[in-house]
Amino acid sequence: MAYLIVDWTSSSNDTAGGPASGQPSAKPDDTRQFFLKSMDDLAALPALHFGGKESERTVTGRGDEVGTATIDGTKVPVITVDGTTYFKPTADMVKAVRPDLPPTALADRWMADTVGLTGTSYGWAAPPSLAALLRGAVNDAKTFPAKADPGTTVGSTPAYKATTPAGDLYIAKDAPYRLLRFDPSQGDDDPGASSTAPGTSAPARAGPARTGYAGPYAGPHSGPHAAPRAFTLSTTRAAAPARAEGDDSELDMNPVTGPDFDRDVDALIDSTKQLGSAVDPSLKLNGSADVQCGAGGCTAVAHVTPTLVSGAPEGTSVGPIDAQMTATFTIAGTPAGACETAGVLSLGQSSDLSCSQGAAGAVFTAEDAKAKAAAAAGAAPGSTYRWRVPYETYAYVLAMAKVDVTTQVDRLQQQKKNPTAAGKATFQAVPRKPGTEQGAREMYERSKELQQGLPFNSTTVAAVRVQNKKTGEIEKWIASSNTTMPKDMNGKLRPDEKYIEGKGHAEQTIVNNLYDKDGNKIYEIVEGGASWNVCIQHRTGACASALWNEGMTIGGQKFPWRRPGVKSDYRSFWFDE
């Protein structure tokens, strides 16, 4: 198998070039741009579905989820809304998690999963986020198969395979180079590789663990909630291969679009509307209750002190606690109704909550009459007799999950209307402005001006015009092979120029910053130039592939490089319709 060696782990840049044969530069015979293209298509999906024997989830572009999970052999409904996962426990699960509650206490209620009972959340794999993570992994990868490589297959589909710091990626060999499989159990665990993908941060609950690429993939390797070892992308759920019972070492993933997307989001919205009664099990409300019943009804008073339950996440921060009290009444063994009330409590402080049920008065009156008649029948004529009416209450107090249901439902409905907007406001992109060879030449000259005074052999400067896709505004970006702006460049930027920080080659820093943290493309390159030749397969970068993937023409004035194939013979690039 043929590979091109591309090392992205160093921030140093190229050395000076010299005379060469003048051979024209050509696109490298590797498949990096195909892998990057597959990431763009992945980012545009409205949702992904992950299916296995133990769980199945649909993850929207915003990271919300709907599906099922298996707990102790029983499948339960699961949703993740705005970063918090909820599930509907069975009566047996309630007994195991909260033995102080009656089994019916949480009937048909959602419970926040504060201790990971439902296993790994796949919110980190929302299509734009997953695409951004994998795009960073592709940029950090050392090797890519040649276009002529025989490759492998995923199912029956011919595929290219690339090993990245995040794991092995498989894409279809034919356009549009659809992502077929992601296997995080393998990969190039280079300790010098980036720990997070460009523009991303490690989510609170993440996916598969990777040595040397820990940021986005920090998760358990083993145990009941171990992260899956592989993901296979099928065109439909029906096409997913069969798995052994209980085997979730691999999860099948497939795109969710059209009616399937609408159906899954509708299910998520319907479930979210029920979160007004969702419970936070990380809090236990200890205490006792008093009860008083009479002809006017029954009143229960609960004396409660909130505490964190054993196993609550370390460092759990608790503010005001929204509590709901439920009390059921029994009078002389006869059910006499129930009552509910709500209140706000504080952790560790004792408080009282009370509620009343007026209809219990009729039960009390009836039972009182029965007891009086029974006592009179057993008493001697003319004697004094007494009777009593026993009554009791069972009261429990639940800490409620804090959910703004109206806001969340509105947000999900926006996702349904704009399925590829990752749950955020979308916009109609303005027509892309083409660049020119002359404009690119001007930016090259500007990059050379700014390079003056900087270390000659180790610093490259790029000057680029970019277009905001929403407004059409043209901006001038400056970047260098330094992570931050070189001190010798201070005071040299013009008012309309903006320095872009980033690790690696200057051109790659520009490309990385075209996208936001969710992988959405915000800017397009119009034209630009670099103070040194654009690299093809340099030991610390492959900027030509990154620029070609953005639709750039690399050309203009020729600067022959002494080692063909390492760098191109050009320093200018532009978008040519």
Side-chain angles (χ1 to χ4, degrees), residues 40-322:
D40 291 340
D41 293 341
L42 176 64
L45 290 175
L48 279 171
H49 180 266
F50 295 84
K53 290 292 185 182
E54 296 298 309
S55 66
E56 60 90 14
R57 312 277 178 92
T58 292
V59 186
T60 71
R62 177 65 185 268
D64 301 296
E65 303 175 64
V66 59
T68 63
T70 300
I71 303 176
D72 294 332
T74 301
K75 282 194 175 182
V76 296
V78 171
I79 60 172
T80 299
V81 177
D82 203 27
T84 300
T85 297
Y86 305 87
F87 68 102
K88 282 191 175 181
T90 64
D92 288 342
M93 292 174 192
V94 173
K95 185 176 180 181
V97 176
R98 289 292 303 273
D100 56 308
L101 297 179
T104 58
L106 299 181
D108 206 37
R109 285 182 186 256
W110 291 98
M111 175 185 283
D113 184 7
T114 58
V115 293
L117 290 172
T118 57
T120 303
S121 167
Y122 297 105
W124 64 275
S129 300
L130 180 60
L133 297 179
L134 297 185
R135 184 184 293 114
V138 169
N139 287 336
D140 285 346
K142 291 181 178 180
T143 60
F144 285 86
K147 295 174 184 175
D149 191 283
T152 182
T153 59
V154 174
S156 60
T157 305
Y160 289 119
K161 171 187 172 183
T163 296
T164 78
D168 289 342
L169 295 174
Y170 299 78
I171 64 169
K173 292 188 72 173
D174 297 326
Y177 312 108
R178 184 171 57 87
L179 177 66
L180 299 174
R181 178 180 170 95
F182 169 41
D183 182 357
S185 67
Q186 303 298 322
D188 177 9
D189 293 334
D190 183 346
S194 171
S195 62
T196 55
T200 67
S201 58
R205 273 173 62 185
R210 294 302 316 135
T211 304
Y213 204 81
Y217 302 103
H221 281 291
S222 60
H225 306 312
R229 293 194 297 272
F231 302 89
T232 301
L233 190 65
S234 305
T235 54
T236 65
R237 298 182 198 182
R243 304 282 184 216
E245 186 66 37
D247 177 18
D248 266 2
S249 61
E250 297 188 11
L251 284 183
D252 304 306
M253 62 181 181
N254 45 75
V256 181
T257 59
D260 287 340
F261 177 77
D262 290 344
R263 181 199 62 224
D264 287 352
V265 174
D266 283 341
L268 182 56
I269 290 172
D270 289 343
S271 296
T272 301
K273 290 177 179 178
Q274 302 170 22
L275 292 181
S277 62
V279 175
D280 181 356
S282 66
L283 292 164
K284 184 176 182 180
L285 305 181
N286 306 294
S288 59
D290 297 326
V291 62
Q292 182 67 47
C293 292
C298 292
T299 298
V301 180
H303 315 286
V304 292
T305 304
T307 61
L308 288 173
V309 300
S310 175
E314 184 177 352
T316 299
S317 177
V318 179
I321 300 166
D322 294 331

Side-chain angles (χ1 to χ4, degrees), residues 551-569:
M552 294 295 105
T553 296
I554 300 175
Q557 182 180 355
K558 187 178 292 186
F559 299 87
W561 194 255
R562 61 175 175 238
R563 287 189 295 162
V566 175
K567 284 179 171 285
S568 73
D569 293 332

